Amino acid sequence: MDHSYTVKVDESFDFKLSKDTIASLDLIKTGENTFHLLKNGVSYHIKILDSNFNKGTYTISVNGSEHKASILTPLDELIEKMGFAVAGGKNVDSIAAPMPGLILDILVEEGQEVNEEDQLLILEAMKMENIITSPRDGVIKKISVSKGDAVDKKQLLIEFQ
């Protein structure tokens, strides 16, 4: 797997940075969320204004100009290349079992409103409990399984309205 990161700034600029390039940066942490970068003799004052580490998105200020940045790790790029991109989750209208297992608990009811990342059900697979969360805000239309059911990979679990 490639060991470089893709950094997108303001959806206009893409940078590919290797671990070696990142390690060689003349970057000094100057405060809680502030940094000083010296690149090719030019000084940059950087402040992280907002961050969502799990989604890899950041709002940063560089010399007083605000920018939106996103960072894709090598794993993120592999997942996207395989067609499992997280951003596609917003249009999901159903959830299927990601692997064969046993339904240990169902944490929602039909007609219930849920928010993105709310816990929906617990699937036991390979002696591990896997919490299946909602990929988006929505309303539960139908629950196709019951507590204690054995399910196959790709079996329909929950539908959204």
Side-chain angles (χ1 to χ4, degrees):
M1 184 172 6
D2 185 14
H3 292 288
S4 60
Y5 297 80
T6 300
V7 180
K8 294 183 181 206
V9 180
D10 294 330
E11 298 297 324
S12 301
F13 303 101
D14 288 1
F15 302 95
K16 199 84 154 157
L17 300 174
S18 70
K19 284 188 175 184
D20 292 337
T21 303
I22 294 167
S24 70
L25 289 174
D26 188 359
L27 183 69
I28 299 170
K29 187 170 184 170
T30 57
E32 171 111 14
N33 292 319
T34 57
F35 302 85
H36 182 263
L37 172 67
L38 190 58
K39 177 82 170 146
N40 298 330
V42 180
S43 178
Y44 299 94
H45 297 278
I46 303 166
K47 183 172 187 178
I48 300 172
L49 304 173
D50 187 41
S51 65
N52 184 329
F53 180 77
N54 291 331
K55 291 185 178 183
T57 58
Y58 302 87
T59 303
I60 59 173
S61 170
V62 179
N63 293 343
S65 296
E66 193 171 305
H67 302 278
K68 301 280 186 195
S70 61
I71 300 173
L72 291 175
T73 67
L75 180 59
D76 293 332
E77 289 186 12
L78 179 63
I79 289 169
E80 196 172 280
K81 204 178 286 184
M82 294 175 68
F84 297 114
V86 176
K90 304 295 181 208
N91 298 322
V92 171
D93 60 0
S94 64
I95 297 176
M99 62 194 85
L102 180 70
I103 303 296
L104 291 183
D105 202 1
I106 298 174
L107 308 170
V108 293
E109 299 174 352
E110 290 181 4
Q112 180 177 337
E113 282 190 40
V114 295
N115 295 315
E116 183 176 355
E117 300 298 321
D118 281 356
Q119 297 180 357
L120 303 177
L121 56 86
I122 300 173
L123 173 70
E124 181 184 53
M126 299 183 291
K127 298 184 183 178
M128 291 177 52
E129 292 184 9
N130 301 282
I131 298 172
I132 307 297
T133 59
S134 180
R136 66 177 180 97
D137 295 348
V139 177
I140 303 297
K141 178 180 178 181
K142 184 176 183 199
I143 300 173
S144 301
V145 292
S146 300
K147 186 176 176 177
D149 284 358
V151 296
D152 294 321
K153 182 176 182 175
K154 297 187 179 181
Q155 181 176 333
L156 179 64
L157 302 176
I158 292 177
E159 291 180 81
F160 290 95
Q161 287 184 354

